[in-house]
Amino acid sequence: MNILEFFLNMYRNRTLIGNLAKNDFKTRYAGSYLGITWAFIQPVVTVLVYWFVFTVGLKSPAVSDFPFALWLMAGIIPWFFFQEALLGGTSALTEYSYLVKKVVFRIDILPIVKILSALFVHLFFIAFVIAVFIITGHMPSIHIVQVIYYSFSLFCLLTGLVYMTSAVMVFFRDLSQLINVLLQIGIWLTPIMWNMEILPEKFRWIFNANPMFYIVTGYRDAFIYHGWFWQHAGTTIYFWILTILMYVVGTKIFKSLQVHFADVL
C-alpha cells in the first residue's frame, strides 16, 4: 500500500474509522464512575507528579530562563500521545480479533483506529498546556500553529510503527511487554525530563537520531523557543526519510503476515 493509497483509504473509510475510534475511546472506561474523564485525569496527574519531583523535590533550575515545569510540559505532550498510540496500536488486531476474522472487513484500519483514539486525549492535553501557559503569563506566539504540523508528523511516524508491531503481536504476544520496557527507557533517552545541553557535543548525534527527539524539540519550538520547523532543514529531511522508510517496511510486514491473522487469532 503506497502512501497515496493509504490516504485515499483513510478518506473512503473516514466514517467507519471515526466511529470505531470514538467507540474505542469510550469503551476503555466503560463501567467506571468517572468514565472517559479518567483518560484526561491520568496525564494531568502524571505531569503534576513530575512537576513536584523535579521542581519541588530536586529543585531543577529554569531551562533557557523558562520555568522547568512548563519546559517539561511542552516536551511530554507528544510522548504521552506516542506511548498510548503505540501500545494501543500494537494490540489492535488481538483486541479486535472478532473483526479480523470477518472476511469482508478491512483490518488495515484497526491500527489507525487506535492512533485516532489516542489523539482525542492528545488534543485535550494540548489545550490544557496552552491554558497553563496563558495562566502563568507565558502567552503562546504564532509559532503554536506548528503543533498541527508536529502532531501530523507524529501520526505518520506512528502509522508505520503500529502496522509493524500490530502484525508481529499476533504471533509474538510478549511484544507488548517488551514495548512497555522500551518506552520506560525511551522517555529518558529522548530526552524529555533533562536538557541535552549538559551532554558533550560528540554524544548528541545519538539522541538526534531518535525521531521522537525531532518531535519533542518541535513542540518546544512551538511553545517556548519560537522557531519554525524549516529552520531545522537537516533534521526535518532525516525525520521524513526515516518515517517514510518505516511506513514502507511496516506496511510490507503487515501485508505479508495478513493472510495468517485469522488462523492464528
Side-chain angles (χ1 to χ4, degrees):
M1 177 168 39
N2 60 45
I3 295 173
L4 179 59
E5 184 185 352
F6 168 77
F7 283 110
L8 285 174
N9 285 334
M10 285 275 291
Y11 179 76
R12 293 192 194 106
N13 297 282
R14 62 190 182 280
T15 303
L16 175 61
I17 293 171
N19 289 336
L20 283 173
K22 284 186 285 187
N23 288 336
D24 180 86
F25 181 65
K26 291 176 183 177
T27 53
R28 270 185 292 166
Y29 305 95
S32 60
Y33 287 111
L34 295 180
I36 62 173
T37 308
W38 284 114
F40 308 116
I41 291 174
Q42 184 177 350
V44 172
V45 170
T46 304
V47 167
L48 290 175
V49 170
Y50 285 148
W51 168 81
F52 181 82
V53 170
F54 287 99
T55 305
V56 179
L58 299 178
K59 300 189 183 303
S60 299
V63 180
S64 302
D65 297 323
F66 216 84
F68 180 83
L70 297 182
W71 183 84
L72 173 62
M73 282 187 193
I76 210 168
I77 297 173
W79 183 261
F80 282 151
F81 179 32
F82 177 75
Q83 178 176 268
E84 186 176 353
L86 180 57
L87 288 171
T90 297
S91 62
L93 299 180
T94 53
E95 185 176 334
Y96 288 102
S97 59
Y98 61 94
L99 292 177
V100 175
K101 295 174 183 178
K102 289 190 175 183
V103 179
V104 295
F105 190 81
R106 290 194 61 96
I107 62 173
D108 57 339
I109 70 172
L110 293 177
I112 306 304
V113 166
K114 285 293 188 177
I115 298 176
L116 288 177
S117 178
L119 183 62
F120 296 144
V121 179
H122 182 59
L123 294 176
F124 161 79
F125 200 31
I126 288 173
F128 169 76
V129 173
I130 289 174
V132 171
F133 269 65
I134 293 172
I135 291 169
T136 55
H138 298 86
M139 188 66 66
S141 70
I142 186 63
H143 297 83
I144 197 68
V145 299
Q146 289 184 112
V147 167
I148 299 171
Y149 161 75
Y150 285 110
S151 294
F152 174 75
S153 301
L154 184 49
F155 180 93
C156 293
L157 175 67
L158 281 162
T159 299
L161 268 174
V162 298
Y163 269 130
M164 188 187 312
T165 58
S166 62
V168 174
M169 176 72 172
V170 174
F171 305 91
F172 180 58
R173 299 300 176 93
D174 290 346
L175 182 62
S176 60
Q177 303 304 323
L178 178 60
I179 289 175
N180 258 315
V181 173
L182 292 176
L183 285 171
Q184 291 178 40
I185 299 170
I187 195 171
W188 294 101
L189 294 180
T190 302
I192 292 171
M193 290 179 281
W194 56 279
N195 189 1
M196 203 169 73
E197 298 298 320
I198 65 175
L199 276 181
E201 188 74 34
K202 62 181 179 180
F203 295 121
R204 293 182 189 177
W205 68 271
I206 300 172
F207 295 90
N208 287 330
N210 177 359
M212 275 306 294
F213 179 71
Y214 172 77
I215 299 293
V216 168
T217 301
Y219 270 72
R220 285 187 172 135
D221 279 343
F223 276 93
I224 299 171
Y225 298 120
H226 303 159
W228 296 105
F229 71 88
W230 56 78
Q231 293 174 312
H232 310 288
T235 51
T236 297
I237 293 170
Y238 165 77
F239 172 84
W240 283 108
I241 289 174
L242 185 63
T243 298
I244 292 170
L245 181 63
M246 201 169 294
Y247 173 81
V248 171
V249 173
T251 51
K252 280 189 179 298
I253 291 174
F254 190 92
K255 279 203 163 187
S256 64
L257 298 177
Q258 184 174 348
V259 293
H260 305 292
F261 290 161
D263 296 331
V264 176
L265 292 171

